[in-house]
Amino acid sequence: MKSKRPLRLSVLLIAAMAFPGCNEDAAPVELNPSSLTEAQRSLQQIDQLYESDPAAALDAAQRLRPKLDELNHLITRVETSPNHYVEFYDLQPGGILLAERGPAGDGRILSESGIADHSAVELYRQLTGGATPPEALVKAERLVTPPDDAHVLARDEADPNLKSSGAFALDRGAQRGDGLASVTQSLGSGDGVVFRDQYCFKAGDFFNCLPNITGDTWASANSKSSFTRLAPYRGSMRMQVSYDNAVKGAWATFAGEEWSFRQLSGTYYPCPVWQACGTQEYYLRTHRWDVLDAAGDGYHFSYAFRSSCSWIGCDNPP
């Protein structure tokens, strides 16, 4: 078997050459991580690099993306307008994760009427003008796991286990004002009111709205679906999702971007195997969202978890 060391060394050397202005003592960004854990370290390096050289950090994130897509189990990505994407991930044993990213204030496709109610396959067709969806997406949406009686919780027996970081830090450096800025412009530090009124989740079994905060924060709940929105306006940070107490995905986010996520639990048929079920149901599983590497950065953040919903009703943002 041939050694993989030369390839790994070449990737490190390319990264080092790409950032000649960096601190010479800093470790080069690993652009070919072998695991999601290793990729997390690469994202931390990119966050540190952003403080001294934002252009180099953005370039490193772009170079890392193909490998990160693989480790995050990306199925497909649709560019709906320049630099605006809707992404489909298969985070088994969890359900499909949808992510939308683009310039802040560029509009939110996943929240538009007529789109939010679609299945992932139908959404792909609508976004692409009727293109045939990838087989991997069709397969992921059809996947139904056998009911596990030891873990399937009845709604009235479920412990919601609602948790969050709680003591988040307000961004004291944010520009504040009573006027509402236009949502067609980037969401800046002075747009906390806009984010609160037009972007934040206002319902769900567990939800919160956190405009103008800084530092790391997180939220977790036993739920069937969960939703988050993140709009950094200063610095860079890492978004991380966990399902059933295991980290499943991570992304680098930067000032001027807006991200939206929807995570679904795995599904099962809520009836004995010898009966025909007309509907499916989502497992109650632990969903957790973390905003990391955010010390000194500024951002708007909102989350919502749904546990008391039933089947397709769980798909829609509250």
Side-chain angles (χ1 to χ4, degrees), residues 99-137:
E100 179 181 0
R101 62 181 174 89
D106 197 31
R108 290 163 289 151
I109 294 174
L110 296 183
S111 298
E112 292 181 1
S113 176
I115 289 183
D117 295 341
H118 285 313
S119 71
V121 169
E122 291 171 342
L123 174 61
Y124 179 87
R125 290 195 179 102
Q126 184 162 348
L127 294 176
T128 59
T132 301
E135 182 60 30
L137 181 61

Side-chain angles (χ1 to χ4, degrees), residues 1-270:
M1 180 181 294
K2 294 183 179 180
S3 171
K4 295 184 179 179
R5 290 183 180 275
L7 175 61
R8 176 63 57 85
L9 179 59
S10 66
V11 172
L12 291 173
L13 288 175
I14 291 173
M17 293 172 63
F19 315 129
C22 302
N23 185 342
E24 295 181 358
D25 295 331
V29 177
E30 172 58 77
L31 299 179
N32 190 35
S34 59
S35 66
L36 188 56
T37 298
E38 193 171 315
Q40 299 273 43
R41 291 194 289 269
S42 297
L43 293 175
Q44 287 179 313
Q45 291 175 309
I46 290 173
D47 177 72
Q48 294 167 359
L49 178 62
Y50 189 87
E51 296 179 5
S52 59
D53 194 338
L58 291 170
D59 181 69
Q62 186 66 28
R63 291 168 178 262
L64 177 64
R65 180 160 290 142
K67 188 63 180 181
L68 193 60
D69 287 345
E70 175 187 335
L71 297 172
N72 283 340
H73 300 288
L74 175 75
I75 300 175
T76 188
R77 172 182 291 122
V78 178
E79 186 172 17
T80 60
S81 61
N83 299 315
H84 194 138
Y85 302 90
V86 174
E87 301 169 342
F88 301 77
Y89 296 86
D90 183 10
L91 302 190
Q92 296 298 335
I96 293 175
L97 181 144
L98 293 179
E100 179 181 0
R101 62 181 174 89
D106 197 31
R108 290 163 289 151
I109 294 174
L110 296 183
S111 298
E112 292 181 1
S113 176
I115 289 183
D117 295 341
H118 285 313
S119 71
V121 169
E122 291 171 342
L123 174 61
Y124 179 87
R125 290 195 179 102
Q126 184 162 348
L127 294 176
T128 59
T132 301
E135 182 60 30
L137 181 61
V138 176
K139 182 179 179 180
E141 187 163 77
R142 287 178 177 172
L143 181 63
V144 178
T145 56
D148 182 352
D149 294 336
H151 294 90
V152 177
L153 299 176
R155 192 178 309 163
D156 58 352
E157 298 173 345
D159 175 9
N161 196 25
L162 311 178
K163 297 179 181 179
S164 71
S165 51
F168 58 88
L170 290 174
D171 182 14
R172 299 299 181 185
Q175 300 175 4
R176 299 185 181 276
D178 297 329
L180 294 181
S182 170
V183 296
T184 61
Q185 301 173 353
S186 295
L187 285 171
S189 63
D191 294 326
V193 175
V194 175
F195 187 84
R196 181 198 68 193
D197 293 345
Q198 302 186 33
Y199 289 75
C200 276
F201 298 107
K202 299 177 176 64
D205 296 285
F206 181 41
F207 62 96
N208 205 348
C209 176
L210 304 172
N212 294 115
I213 61 173
T214 187
D216 295 358
T217 191
W218 59 271
S220 172
N222 288 343
S223 57
K224 297 179 180 180
S225 59
S226 60
F227 308 82
T228 59
R229 289 178 184 148
L230 174 68
Y233 55 80
R234 186 180 66 247
S236 65
M237 57 209 66
R238 173 168 39 116
M239 188 64 160
Q240 176 179 289
V241 61
S242 300
Y243 176 81
D244 212 10
N245 300 313
V247 176
K248 292 294 185 178
W251 298 264
T253 70
F254 301 94
E257 296 180 339
E258 181 189 335
W259 289 72
S260 297
F261 295 89
R262 184 194 76 178
Q263 171 65 47
L264 300 175
S265 290
T267 61
Y268 66 97
Y269 288 113

Side-chain angles (χ1 to χ4, degrees), residues 144 147 268-280:
V144 178
Y268 66 97
Y269 288 113
C271 59
V273 294
W274 60 85
Q275 293 183 1
C277 287
T279 61
Q280 301 174 33

